[in-house]
Amino acid sequence: MGRLTTHVLDTARGRPAAQLRIRLYAVSESGRELLGRFSTNDDGRVDAPLLEGAALQAGTYELLFEAGEYLQRAGGLSQTALFLDEIPIRFGIFHPDEHYHVPLLLSPYGYSTYRGS
């Protein structure tokens, strides 16, 4: 059964990013459709797959990580010192029967992602 998962690691602090809010969108020619709002747990993960089974369809999706609020809370950054705020990651799902894992490695001044397992 296919599923979409994510997690967020705070690489500057060497620990999971807890209570970071995430929005999931389906993207089409007519725009974006909000599919869900999530928050990471103490392990930096969402408690259940973002999508799974029949809900996971081939297509384009976007995860929007609300990193600014987390970075301010975790690092004591002021609004004026904030470099990153919302981080959109747009990706395609071509085989909805597979596991798609989209992690975010986050620091106050940069981030990276990849298709994990």
Side-chain angles (χ1 to χ4, degrees), residues 56-79:
L56 184 64
Q57 299 289 314
T60 302
Y61 293 87
E62 181 177 287
L63 284 168
L64 185 68
F65 295 89
E66 298 179 17
E69 179 182 279
Y70 167 80
L71 291 167
Q72 287 177 316
R73 187 176 63 250
L77 298 173
S78 70
Q79 183 65 34

Tab-separated table of all heavy atoms in Angstrom, residues 56-79:
chain	number	residue	atom	x	y	z
A	56	LEU	N	-3.795	8.347	-1.954
A	56	LEU	CA	-2.534	8.701	-2.612
A	56	LEU	C	-2.661	8.413	-4.100
A	56	LEU	O	-2.720	7.255	-4.516
A	56	LEU	CB	-1.374	7.907	-2.005
A	56	LEU	CG	0.014	8.248	-2.537
A	56	LEU	CD1	0.393	9.692	-2.207
A	56	LEU	CD2	1.050	7.296	-1.947
A	57	GLN	N	-2.735	9.472	-4.876
A	57	GLN	CA	-2.906	9.367	-6.317
A	57	GLN	C	-1.660	9.887	-7.034
A	57	GLN	O	-0.915	10.699	-6.475
A	57	GLN	CB	-4.105	10.218	-6.755
A	57	GLN	CG	-5.418	9.794	-6.140
A	57	GLN	CD	-5.907	8.479	-6.698
A	57	GLN	OE1	-5.898	8.261	-7.901
A	57	GLN	NE2	-6.326	7.576	-5.817
A	58	ALA	N	-1.441	9.440	-8.246
A	58	ALA	CA	-0.368	10.009	-9.057
A	58	ALA	C	-0.676	11.488	-9.282
A	58	ALA	O	-1.827	11.870	-9.463
A	58	ALA	CB	-0.263	9.274	-10.391
A	59	GLY	N	0.354	12.298	-9.243
A	59	GLY	CA	0.153	13.730	-9.458
A	59	GLY	C	1.230	14.552	-8.787
A	59	GLY	O	2.242	14.029	-8.317
A	60	THR	N	0.997	15.850	-8.731
A	60	THR	CA	1.937	16.791	-8.138
A	60	THR	C	1.398	17.252	-6.795
A	60	THR	O	0.211	17.566	-6.660
A	60	THR	CB	2.139	18.008	-9.073
A	60	THR	OG1	2.603	17.526	-10.341
A	60	THR	CG2	3.160	18.971	-8.504
A	61	TYR	N	2.295	17.294	-5.828
A	61	TYR	CA	1.941	17.679	-4.462
A	61	TYR	C	2.934	18.732	-3.975
A	61	TYR	O	4.028	18.884	-4.519
A	61	TYR	CB	1.988	16.464	-3.532
A	61	TYR	CG	0.937	15.436	-3.839
A	61	TYR	CD1	1.168	14.438	-4.785
A	61	TYR	CD2	-0.292	15.453	-3.194
A	61	TYR	CE1	0.202	13.499	-5.079
A	61	TYR	CE2	-1.270	14.506	-3.479
A	61	TYR	CZ	-1.008	13.530	-4.421
A	61	TYR	OH	-1.966	12.593	-4.709
A	62	GLU	N	2.524	19.423	-2.930
A	62	GLU	CA	3.419	20.388	-2.298
A	62	GLU	C	3.280	20.269	-0.787
A	62	GLU	O	2.164	20.287	-0.255
A	62	GLU	CB	3.079	21.806	-2.740
A	62	GLU	CG	3.998	22.860	-2.142
A	62	GLU	CD	3.689	24.246	-2.659
A	62	GLU	OE1	4.003	24.517	-3.835
A	62	GLU	OE2	3.109	25.051	-1.891
A	63	LEU	N	4.408	20.129	-0.121
A	63	LEU	CA	4.466	20.230	1.330
A	63	LEU	C	4.945	21.636	1.652
A	63	LEU	O	5.964	22.084	1.107
A	63	LEU	CB	5.432	19.199	1.918
A	63	LEU	CG	4.928	17.769	1.961
A	63	LEU	CD1	6.053	16.815	2.288
A	63	LEU	CD2	3.805	17.643	2.990
A	64	LEU	N	4.230	22.326	2.518
A	64	LEU	CA	4.627	23.656	2.940
A	64	LEU	C	4.975	23.580	4.424
A	64	LEU	O	4.098	23.406	5.273
A	64	LEU	CB	3.500	24.666	2.702
A	64	LEU	CG	3.873	26.103	2.999
A	64	LEU	CD1	4.901	26.604	1.982
A	64	LEU	CD2	2.649	26.984	2.973
A	65	PHE	N	6.264	23.654	4.700
A	65	PHE	CA	6.760	23.581	6.069
A	65	PHE	C	6.786	24.989	6.659
A	65	PHE	O	7.438	25.881	6.107
A	65	PHE	CB	8.168	22.981	6.088
A	65	PHE	CG	8.219	21.550	5.632
A	65	PHE	CD1	8.391	21.248	4.285
A	65	PHE	CD2	8.093	20.511	6.531
A	65	PHE	CE1	8.444	19.929	3.850
A	65	PHE	CE2	8.143	19.188	6.104
A	65	PHE	CZ	8.321	18.900	4.766
A	66	GLU	N	6.087	25.197	7.753
A	66	GLU	CA	6.027	26.504	8.401
A	66	GLU	C	7.210	26.616	9.368
A	66	GLU	O	7.055	26.576	10.588
A	66	GLU	CB	4.685	26.680	9.085
A	66	GLU	CG	3.532	26.641	8.095
A	66	GLU	CD	2.161	26.791	8.736
A	66	GLU	OE1	2.061	27.250	9.894
A	66	GLU	OE2	1.176	26.440	8.068
A	67	ALA	N	8.384	26.779	8.792
A	67	ALA	CA	9.635	26.707	9.548
A	67	ALA	C	9.903	27.944	10.396
A	67	ALA	O	10.547	27.843	11.437
A	67	ALA	CB	10.802	26.481	8.587
A	68	GLY	N	9.449	29.112	9.965
A	68	GLY	CA	9.768	30.349	10.669
A	68	GLY	C	9.349	30.337	12.122
A	68	GLY	O	10.136	30.679	13.012
A	69	GLU	N	8.126	29.945	12.365
A	69	GLU	CA	7.627	29.899	13.743
A	69	GLU	C	8.459	28.940	14.586
A	69	GLU	O	8.819	29.235	15.724
A	69	GLU	CB	6.161	29.472	13.736
A	69	GLU	CG	5.537	29.371	15.097
A	69	GLU	CD	4.095	28.888	15.017
A	69	GLU	OE1	3.215	29.725	14.729
A	69	GLU	OE2	3.877	27.674	15.223
A	70	TYR	N	8.757	27.758	14.024
A	70	TYR	CA	9.590	26.794	14.748
A	70	TYR	C	10.978	27.372	15.040
A	70	TYR	O	11.481	27.272	16.163
A	70	TYR	CB	9.730	25.484	13.950
A	70	TYR	CG	10.827	24.626	14.510
A	70	TYR	CD1	10.613	23.846	15.629
A	70	TYR	CD2	12.110	24.651	13.963
A	70	TYR	CE1	11.632	23.099	16.199
A	70	TYR	CE2	13.139	23.905	14.509
A	70	TYR	CZ	12.894	23.138	15.627
A	70	TYR	OH	13.913	22.413	16.198
A	71	LEU	N	11.617	27.968	14.035
A	71	LEU	CA	12.970	28.496	14.217
A	71	LEU	C	12.996	29.612	15.252
A	71	LEU	O	13.948	29.702	16.042
A	71	LEU	CB	13.526	28.979	12.880
A	71	LEU	CG	13.836	27.876	11.871
A	71	LEU	CD1	14.083	28.465	10.487
A	71	LEU	CD2	15.016	27.029	12.335
A	72	GLN	N	11.987	30.450	15.277
A	72	GLN	CA	11.922	31.501	16.296
A	72	GLN	C	11.814	30.891	17.684
A	72	GLN	O	12.504	31.308	18.611
A	72	GLN	CB	10.738	32.429	16.041
A	72	GLN	CG	10.964	33.349	14.870
A	72	GLN	CD	9.750	34.198	14.583
A	72	GLN	OE1	8.621	33.706	14.584
A	72	GLN	NE2	9.979	35.466	14.330
A	73	ARG	N	10.958	29.908	17.817
A	73	ARG	CA	10.735	29.265	19.114
A	73	ARG	C	11.972	28.476	19.558
A	73	ARG	O	12.399	28.564	20.703
A	73	ARG	CB	9.515	28.344	19.013
A	73	ARG	CG	9.062	27.739	20.309
A	73	ARG	CD	7.787	26.913	20.153
A	73	ARG	NE	7.975	25.760	19.272
A	73	ARG	CZ	7.447	25.644	18.062
A	73	ARG	NH1	6.697	26.590	17.560
A	73	ARG	NH2	7.665	24.561	17.335
A	74	ALA	N	12.570	27.726	18.658
A	74	ALA	CA	13.682	26.842	19.007
A	74	ALA	C	14.994	27.590	19.205
A	74	ALA	O	15.812	27.201	20.025
A	74	ALA	CB	13.861	25.774	17.935
A	75	GLY	N	15.177	28.660	18.428
A	75	GLY	CA	16.468	29.325	18.479
A	75	GLY	C	16.462	30.721	19.039
A	75	GLY	O	17.480	31.384	19.067
A	76	GLY	N	15.294	31.185	19.467
A	76	GLY	CA	15.215	32.524	20.011
A	76	GLY	C	15.462	33.617	18.984
A	76	GLY	O	15.880	34.710	19.328
A	77	LEU	N	15.201	33.334	17.705
A	77	LEU	CA	15.397	34.340	16.661
A	77	LEU	C	14.252	35.348	16.686
A	77	LEU	O	13.099	34.980	16.859
A	77	LEU	CB	15.430	33.673	15.282
A	77	LEU	CG	16.545	32.678	15.017
A	77	LEU	CD1	16.318	31.995	13.677
A	77	LEU	CD2	17.887	33.363	15.035
A	78	SER	N	14.572	36.594	16.493
A	78	SER	CA	13.530	37.608	16.377
A	78	SER	C	12.965	37.582	14.964
A	78	SER	O	13.566	37.004	14.057
A	78	SER	CB	14.097	38.992	16.679
A	78	SER	OG	14.962	39.394	15.633
A	79	GLN	N	11.824	38.209	14.765
A	79	GLN	CA	11.219	38.268	13.432
A	79	GLN	C	12.176	38.928	12.444
A	79	GLN	O	12.260	38.534	11.297
A	79	GLN	CB	9.889	39.030	13.482
A	79	GLN	CG	9.161	39.068	12.149
A	79	GLN	CD	8.708	37.698	11.659
A	79	GLN	OE1	8.361	36.835	12.445
A	79	GLN	NE2	8.724	37.492	10.363
